[in-house]
Amino acid sequence: MDIENIGFETINLGHGSGGELTRNLLDKIIFKTFSNPYLDQKHDGSIVKIEGEVAISTDSFVITPIFFKGGNIGELAVHGTVNDVAMCGAIPKYLSLAFIIEEGLKVSEFIEIVQSIKKAADESGVLIITGDTKVVERGKGDKIFINTTGFGQVHPKANISVHNIKEGDKIIVNGFIAQHGMAIMSEREGLEFESTIESDSTNLNFLVNDLLDVFGDKIKLFRDPTRGGIGTVLHEIANDINKGVFLKEAIIPLEKQVAAACEMLGLDPMYVANEGVFLVVVDPSVENEVLNVMRNHKKGKNAAIIGEITNEHPNKVVMESLIGGKRIVSPLVGEQLPRIC
């Protein structure tokens, strides 16, 4: 997209007024980029057909910085909501997309974000079908915030519920944890440090769909451990089912440089945010088969069975440490790193 043909270099309040400047912004960037039969109607909304049960999830993205190693706020806004819909056991189909832009944002930055959204949506197999754009005064925002709402068709074999979980069920993670949080931390103002760690932001819906195709209701639960990391999600599960969770630290996938960065900053990787990771609780009769399917998929090649559900220590997460002792993974109080997504 040629910025010279856009006609303006920065976004101002007029671009959110609903007048000619708004039309220029929409026509030259948004409608042009996301063109499809639904959006091309330029209506207040879209009418779509989805058969069967529908999963809906919405999320807002306020990450800082808006560009980071491995991605930007645009693709994150797609991946985050696509993955939330997939965690419901659904096949994501459509997204709504809303921008809140701070006056003064460079058009070049906005175009890069919009193009990343388009690429991520195409790779995830979803269409942008409706949206909104607002502009706030300089100093009243932080460059750009994005909201996305996802709609998906529930998989016919899915029966995803925390209440399906039983003692002995196995917990599997699809790959390395804590990468997204540490990638953001390495670029956060005042905390910068040399690192090659990249965000793991990616869509997980195709791997989830493959698992449901093969294993159906043997899959008890999917959860993506974004804010609060896997420690927080596992605590929520333990509390919801009034059972315990037992983990083995040695098996949890963690890259050495991520572990070193966490240690340097005094952070526990169990609570660091992820954007390309999900946990799946499965019936023990299929644990190895599930693991093999995951490891044969590019989004699950580092998958590992990290623990199980137990009737011991209800409502607690207990982890066997690297040296063989046991410790309680306490609930996270507060936020290790704000505005991570």
Side-chain angles (χ1 to χ4, degrees), residues 62 92 94:
V62 298
Y94 307 109

Side-chain angles (χ1 to χ4, degrees), residues 172-241:
I172 305 177
V173 67
N174 69 306
F176 293 117
I177 69 168
Q179 289 182 269
H180 176 72
M182 296 317 298
I184 302 305
M185 180 69 89
S186 72
E187 300 188 62
R188 188 63 62 84
E189 184 177 357
L191 293 171
E192 300 98 332
F193 57 89
E194 288 294 325
S195 170
T196 59
I197 301 170
E198 291 190 354
S199 169
D200 60 349
S201 178
T202 191
N203 64 299
L204 300 168
N205 51 312
F206 296 116
L207 174 52
V208 167
N209 188 67
D210 287 350
L211 292 174
L212 289 170
D213 280 345
V214 178
F215 301 106
D217 61 6
K218 297 292 185 181
I219 304 290
K220 307 295 186 70
L221 188 72
F222 293 114
R223 288 290 300 273
D224 60 337
T226 51
R227 290 173 296 171
I230 68 171
T232 297
V233 166
L234 290 171
H235 257 289
E236 291 173 353
I237 293 171
N239 285 326
D240 287 343
I241 63 176

Side-chain angles (χ1 to χ4, degrees), residues 59-68 72-74 76-77 98-101 140-148 180 184 188 227 275 335 337-341:
D59 207 348
S60 298
F61 299 84
V62 298
I63 192 169
T64 183
I66 60 174
F67 296 97
F68 47 86
N72 63 54
I73 190 172
L76 185 65
F99 297 107
I100 298 177
I101 304 169
K140 297 293 181 67
D142 192 354
K143 293 189 175 180
I144 186 170
F145 300 148
I146 301 175
N147 173 273
T148 49
H180 176 72
I184 302 305
R188 188 63 62 84
R227 290 173 296 171
E275 288 294 344
E335 181 67 67
L337 182 60
R339 292 184 61 186
I340 202 71
C341 61

Side-chain angles (χ1 to χ4, degrees), residues 23-206:
R23 179 53 59 185
N24 285 339
L25 179 69
L26 295 177
D27 286 345
K28 294 182 178 180
I29 300 178
I30 295 175
F31 288 137
K32 183 177 181 180
T33 301
F34 299 122
S35 178
N36 64 60
Y38 300 102
L39 205 61
D40 291 348
Q41 296 181 47
K42 299 182 181 179
H43 198 11
D44 288 342
S46 289
I47 300 173
V48 299
K49 290 183 179 180
I50 301 179
E51 295 182 2
E53 291 185 300
V54 177
I56 303 171
S57 183
T58 191
D59 207 348
S60 298
F61 299 84
V62 298
I63 192 169
T64 183
I66 60 174
F67 296 97
F68 47 86
K69 295 186 185 76
N72 63 54
I73 190 172
E75 64 184 56
L76 185 65
V78 174
H79 294 153
T81 297
V82 162
N83 292 343
D84 285 346
V85 172
M87 294 301 106
C88 298
I91 305 162
K93 298 290 187 181
Y94 307 109
L95 289 180
S96 72
L97 172 66
F99 297 107
I100 298 177
I101 304 169
E102 183 186 18
E103 177 187 20
L105 180 71
K106 294 179 181 178
V107 170
S108 59
E109 292 182 325
F110 184 60
I111 289 173
E112 184 175 350
I113 290 167
V114 167
Q115 290 177 335
S116 293
I117 291 172
K118 171 63 173 172
K119 182 174 183 290
D122 288 347
E123 291 174 347
S124 302
V126 297
L127 291 176
I128 309 294
I129 60 170
T130 189
D132 184 46
T133 302
K134 296 290 194 300
V135 181
V136 298
E137 300 94 333
R138 193 183 302 270
K140 297 293 181 67
D142 192 354
K143 293 189 175 180
I144 186 170
F145 300 148
I146 301 175
N147 173 273
T148 49
T149 299
F151 305 82
Q153 179 183 6
V154 175
H155 193 288
K157 293 185 178 180
N159 184 20
I160 304 301
S161 173
V162 70
H163 302 296
N164 293 333
I165 297 174
K166 298 179 180 179
E167 181 189 16
D169 285 346
K170 303 300 181 180
I171 302 165
I172 305 177
V173 67
N174 69 306
F176 293 117
I177 69 168
Q179 289 182 269
H180 176 72
M182 296 317 298
I184 302 305
M185 180 69 89
S186 72
E187 300 188 62
R188 188 63 62 84
E189 184 177 357
L191 293 171
E192 300 98 332
F193 57 89
E194 288 294 325
S195 170
T196 59
I197 301 170
E198 291 190 354
S199 169
D200 60 349
S201 178
T202 191
N203 64 299
L204 300 168
N205 51 312
F206 296 116

